[in-house]
């Protein structure tokens, strides 16, 4: 496969080659797609644990006395209401309410936040945050070069990480983060992830990534920890009903379309802040979105894929579009997420999907498709 | 990766076993199976169907994507691999052996002259 000269490699590139990974170009990065079989990796994360290289994700630090009000004005979420050590899933929207990116914001200090953006959108996020923070006593720092990111995900993740870190994991709640030492290396240890399982994300110095990766694999092997690639990450997040930018979310999608209206906080702790997109989003909240994101299951074996038309089964007319689809390794049947008219979004509604010229019957089901037992 | 020398290959990454009279066996190469990832569903032509060299005759569905299956030869389908329809993972486990896909009674103008040798195919696939 040819790589463009602009394709970047993570600090773990040599390790992936050594492990025999099938690599792919993703958002300008050369990333591992799978190491062995994507279904085995998927099952490992569901039943034991998987180790992911997520160093392509973009980190932006926002710090200063007015970091919180700056982020309140820049993002749709309630950032000033976030306690130190906690994290929040939020989005950055345009004036018209369209999503520029979905983000996780960690409050790492009284006046300091770590904003994690999707690889493909990091430039957009850095630019928008810098512009939106201009009137505030806050600094926006592009910290992509300062971090590598490794995730340990799965039911065995807590046991594996507990053995190699100095933090009290019992006290580390879901969507919380704490500075910690793992295998002798300083990390920001976050209990977050994108797989539907319990797990941890370790933000570390790029120079520490290889030692952490190797150490975790070695120490976690007994508990079934295996390296896991982007391919299984996609089926894991799809089963968990989590949106992916470029699929469920994009510039012409609002949070309300995607069923994520709860992330839009008109009532921020910081007071009556005017945030970018507020007026448009208030209008959409009042009127209701024009379409709805739903889960679909088919009983056939042909898989609905992103971009396929959803059809009205009565007329055969296109009424919506599949945003993601895959054979679900956990459910053993094809699953998909799709945008449909609100009237067709109720569970058990039957629709059709144009699977390469042949309609396949599909049933609307509640999201997520899979939820771990807690 | 080693492509068995007794087989012929197409640029669409199928292999054909020639030399068993006028009936040949068709499958996809290991290179193709590896690129697809875990195959979860195969749609094969039916026995009695006429297939044409270079034209689509089925689909291979994997976790990641779906690909058209092309017939590397022209003729009549005389057998399909029922086991691979039951257990599509056989395509990954043994693309040149138990993961074979269908058998064709080739016509006089079967298009076999266009096929590549193992050496030529290896150079093509790795090129």
């Amino acid at each position: 496969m040819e790589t463009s000269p602009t394709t970047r490699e993570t600090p773990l590139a040599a390790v992936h080659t050594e492990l025999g990974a099938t690599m792919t170009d993703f958002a300008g990065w050369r990333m591992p797609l799978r190491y062995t079989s994507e279904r085995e990796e998927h099952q490992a994360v569901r039943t034991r644990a998987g180790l992911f290289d997520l160093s392509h994700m973009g980190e932006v630090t926002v710090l200063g006395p007015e970091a919180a009000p700056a982020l309140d004005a820049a993002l749709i979420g309630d950032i000033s209401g976030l306690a130190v050590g906690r994290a929040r899933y939020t989005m950055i929207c345009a004036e018209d309410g369209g999503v520029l990116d979905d983000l996780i914001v960690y409050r790492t200090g009284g006046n300091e936040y770590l904003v994690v953006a999707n690889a493909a959108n990091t430039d957009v996020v850095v630019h928008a945050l810098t512009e939106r923070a201009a009137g505030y006593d806050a600094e926006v720092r592009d910290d992509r070069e300062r971090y590598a990111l490794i995730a340990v995900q799965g039911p065995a993740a807590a046991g594996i990480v507990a053995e190699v870190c100095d933090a009290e994991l019992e006290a580390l709640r879901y969507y919380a983060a704490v500075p910690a030492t793992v295998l002798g290396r300083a990390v920001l240890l976050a209990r977050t992830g994108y797989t539907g399982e319990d797990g941890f994300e370790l933000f570390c110095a790029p120079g520490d990534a290889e030692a952490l990766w190797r150490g975790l694999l070695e120490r976690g092997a007994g508990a079934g920890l295996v390296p896991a690639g982007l391919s299984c990450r996609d089926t894991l997040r799809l089963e968990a009903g989590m949106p992916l930018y470029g699929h469920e979310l994009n510039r012409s999608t609002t949070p309300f379309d995607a069923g994520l209206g709860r992330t839009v906080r008109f009532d921020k702790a910081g007071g009556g802040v005017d945030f970018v997109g507020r007026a448009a989003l208030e209008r959409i909240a009042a009127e209701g979105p024009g379409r709805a994101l739903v889960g679909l299951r088919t009983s056939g074996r042909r898989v609905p894929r992103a971009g396929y038309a959803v059809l009205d089964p009565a007329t055969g007319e296109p009424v919506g579009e599949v945003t993601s689809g895959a054979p679900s390794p956990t459910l053993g049947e094809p699953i998909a997420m799709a945008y449909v008219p609100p009237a067709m979004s109720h569970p058990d509604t039957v629709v059709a999907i144009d699977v390469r010229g042949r309609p396949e019957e599909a049933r609307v089901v509640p999201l997520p498709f899979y939820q771990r037992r807690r | 990766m080693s492509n068995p020398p007794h087989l012929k290959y197409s640029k669409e990454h199928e292999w054909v076993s020639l030399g068993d009279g006028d009936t040949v066996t068709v499958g996809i190469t290991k290179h193709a199976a590896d690129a697809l990832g875990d195959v979860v569903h195969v749609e094969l032509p039916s026995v009695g169907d006429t297939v044409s060299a270079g034209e689509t005759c089925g689909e291979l569905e994997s976790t990641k994507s779906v690909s058209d299956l092309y017939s590397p030869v022209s003729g009549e389908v005389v057998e399909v691999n029922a086991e691979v329809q039951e257990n599509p993972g056989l395509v990954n486990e043994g693309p040149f052996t138990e993961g074979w896909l269908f058998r064709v009674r080739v016509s006089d103008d079967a298009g076999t002259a266009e096929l590549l040798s193992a050496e030529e195919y290896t150079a093509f696939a790795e090129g």
Side-chain angles (χ1 to χ4, degrees), chain A residues 122-145:
Chain A
T122 309
D123 286 336
V124 171
V125 172
V126 170
H127 181 78
L129 285 181
T130 305
E131 206 171 74
R132 294 175 190 190
Y136 295 87
D137 187 1
E139 182 196 346
V140 175
R141 195 171 70 205
D142 182 347
D143 271 347
R144 269 176 282 189
E145 305 296 333

Side-chain angles (χ1 to χ4, degrees), chain A residues 34 37-39 305 356, chain B residues 34 38 59 61-63 65:
Chain A
R34 60 174 171 270
S37 143
E38 55 234 344
R39 286 206 291 175
R305 306 279 178 178
R356 296 181 301 285
Chain B
D34 287 350
D38 295 327
E59 292 176 350
E61 192 100 52
S62 70
T63 304
S65 64

Side-chain angles (χ1 to χ4, degrees), chain A residues 234-267:
Chain A
D234 193 47
T235 48
L236 289 159
R237 70 92 197 168
L238 176 58
E239 286 183 348
M242 295 171 170
L244 174 61
Y245 198 90
H247 287 254
E248 285 69 39
L249 301 173
N250 58 51
R251 182 63 187 73
S252 53
T253 305
T254 73
F256 292 99
D257 293 330
L260 295 164
R262 65 187 151 76
T263 62
V264 185
R265 295 295 298 273
F266 297 116
D267 57 331

Side-chain angles (χ1 to χ4, degrees), chain A residues 104-116:
Chain A
I104 293 184
V105 178
Y106 299 89
R107 187 169 191 177
T108 49
N111 290 321
E112 190 167 329
Y113 297 83
L114 181 66
V115 179
V116 181

